[in-house]
Amino acid sequence: MVDLAVLGLLADQADARPLVCLVDDVQWLDRASAQALAFVARRIAGESVALVFALRESGRRPVDFEGIPELAVEPLSGADSRDLLGEAVRAPLDD
């Protein structure tokens, strides 16, 4: 019932405008939360909802997330990090 409630809540919110749901530190999720989010991730395709899960490279991926598409994002170099930050912050940056 909780899984369906989470799906319904996100779908309802996406009726007004597209929704992005960010979940950081997935390796720390308890079993029930991981199951609910995996349930939603498998069934949200018809909605205007994007789910983004962040997991540390050394972290434990929840078993419930098997089969959910994955994209590994590598760290930015120092120079690329400064360039990106410089685009967002219009003030002098310390090295």
Side-chain angles (χ1 to χ4, degrees), residues 36-87:
L37 289 169
F39 176 89
V40 170
R42 288 186 174 87
R43 289 163 181 82
I44 205 75
E47 305 295 337
S48 295
V49 177
L51 295 174
V52 178
F53 301 106
L55 172 70
R56 292 178 191 206
E57 186 177 340
S58 60
R60 174 192 55 84
R61 183 177 189 197
V63 134
D64 303 292
F65 283 51
E66 292 299 323
I68 293 175
E70 180 178 322
L71 173 65
V73 178
E74 300 297 323
L76 293 174
S77 69
D80 288 340
S81 296
R82 280 187 294 282
D83 289 345
L84 180 61
L85 189 57
E87 290 292 322

Side-chain angles (χ1 to χ4, degrees), residues 78 82 92-95:
R82 280 187 294 282
L93 299 173
D94 292 337
D95 286 336

